[in-house]
Amino acid sequence: AQKVTQAQTEISVVEKEDVTLDCVYETRDTTYYLFWYKQPPSGELVFLIRRNSFDEQNEISGRYSWNFQKSTSSFNFTITASQVVDSAVYFCALSARNTNAGKSTFGDGTTLTVKP
Amino acid sequence: DAGVTQSPTHLIKTRGQHVTLRCSPISGHKSVSWYQQVLGQGPQFIFQYYEKEERGRGNFPDRFSARQFPNYSSELNVNALLLGDSALYLCASSPDLTGPIGSPLHFGNGTRLTVT
């Protein structure tokens, strides 16, 4: 069985602060993908970043960066210099080889509020 | 290009009634997945369809059914509605089934179903 845990239910920061969203996952598969999605108040989930289980190299994309550590089954997501428009619910998701992305398992989300 | 479109956007039904939700995937996408998102939780996988065939089913009762049409659009049907079926129903499309499992999902804005 697959499981994704986002222990932080709500986070509030002031604009321009950096914020890290935590994600811990469980899977028996050795081949899997991890995703972060953003859900603004409009409801549509928007794909942000993706990482496969064979690539632990951490990357930066604009204001987004992520830290993938297989040893601790964690896939944390950081927003640098947060902006008010970053306010949304953020979901971590897992897709394993024996399934596919259409059957992703999602965490319960972290609500991020960025105050001006 | 149009994204994933869902209709209707909002729906109010009474317990025991039946509901049909509709989804049109992104042009060229052949896989459609349905998710149920209860308030305060992450999306839960219901169905995946590819080339008009069911390719996966989540842990939902038989009251839930779906189908995919030759143009790859899809319908989700729920019979004998219960209060607990009140949720945001999200449709997501992806290019194919057998492609890289890391293909991100492209979500619609969802249908907000309220059962009274």
Side-chain angles (χ1 to χ4, degrees):
Chain A
Q2 299 178 162
K3 185 178 180 181
V4 175
T5 302
Q6 295 179 251
Q8 305 153 307
T9 54
E10 295 183 16
I11 298 177
S12 181
V13 299
V14 177
E15 203 170 19
K16 297 184 182 178
E17 287 185 359
D18 298 347
V19 57
T20 296
L21 309 181
D22 298 335
C23 173
V24 174
Y25 63 92
E26 296 176 26
T27 180
R28 294 180 181 177
D29 268 278
T30 56
T31 303
Y32 53 88
Y33 277 81
L34 295 160
F35 304 82
W36 277 96
Y37 290 87
K38 173 183 179 181
Q39 187 175 40
S42 62
E44 177 184 356
L45 278 95
V46 178
F47 164 72
L48 296 175
I49 60 173
R50 158 184 60 190
R51 177 59 61 196
N52 74 58
S53 55
F54 295 105
D55 185 358
E56 289 191 70
Q57 181 178 353
N58 297 311
E59 293 186 19
I60 297 174
S61 176
R63 294 188 300 111
Y64 298 156
S65 63
W66 48 96
N67 186 335
F68 174 38
Q69 293 189 349
K70 289 180 72 172
S71 60
T72 56
S73 297
S74 65
F75 184 51
N76 298 336
F77 174 62
T78 297
I79 302 174
T80 302
S82 60
Q83 301 174 2
V84 173
V85 294
D86 295 328
S87 297
V89 183
Y90 289 81
F91 290 96
C92 180
L94 166 69
S95 170
R97 188 180 72 171
N98 290 329
T99 62
N100 62 46
K103 306 175 191 176
S104 292
T105 299
F106 286 79
D108 282 337
T110 297
T111 300
L112 173 64
T113 302
V114 181
K115 300 178 181 178
Chain B
D1 286 342
V4 177
T5 58
Q6 293 186 242
S7 63
T9 55
H10 295 83
L11 204 53
I12 299 176
K13 290 286 189 178
T14 304
R15 277 178 298 177
Q17 286 188 319
H18 162 271
V19 68
T20 297
L21 310 180
R22 296 178 175 82
C23 171
S24 293
I26 290 174
S27 178
H29 284 196
K30 299 180 179 180
S31 176
V32 170
S33 302
W34 287 95
Y35 285 79
Q36 180 195 66
Q37 186 178 17
V38 174
L39 192 62
Q41 297 182 16
Q44 297 292 317
F45 173 74
I46 309 176
F47 286 111
Q48 183 190 27
Y49 274 77
Y50 177 74
E51 292 287 9
K52 297 175 289 182
E53 292 186 6
E54 181 183 305
R55 297 304 184 108
R57 183 184 184 112
N59 188 24
F60 281 82
D62 292 343
R63 299 184 296 107
F64 288 76
S65 63
R67 56 178 176 170
Q68 187 177 33
F69 299 99
N71 66 354
Y72 303 111
S73 66
S74 177
E75 284 183 354
L76 175 70
N77 296 283
V78 186
N79 292 323
L81 285 166
L82 303 175
L83 294 178
D85 295 331
S86 295
L88 179 67
Y89 287 84
L90 294 162
C91 174
S93 73
S94 54
D96 55 38
L97 178 67
T98 57
I101 62 170
S103 298
L105 294 170
H106 301 265
F107 284 88
N109 286 337
T111 294
R112 175 74 63 187
L113 173 65
T114 302
V115 182
T116 61

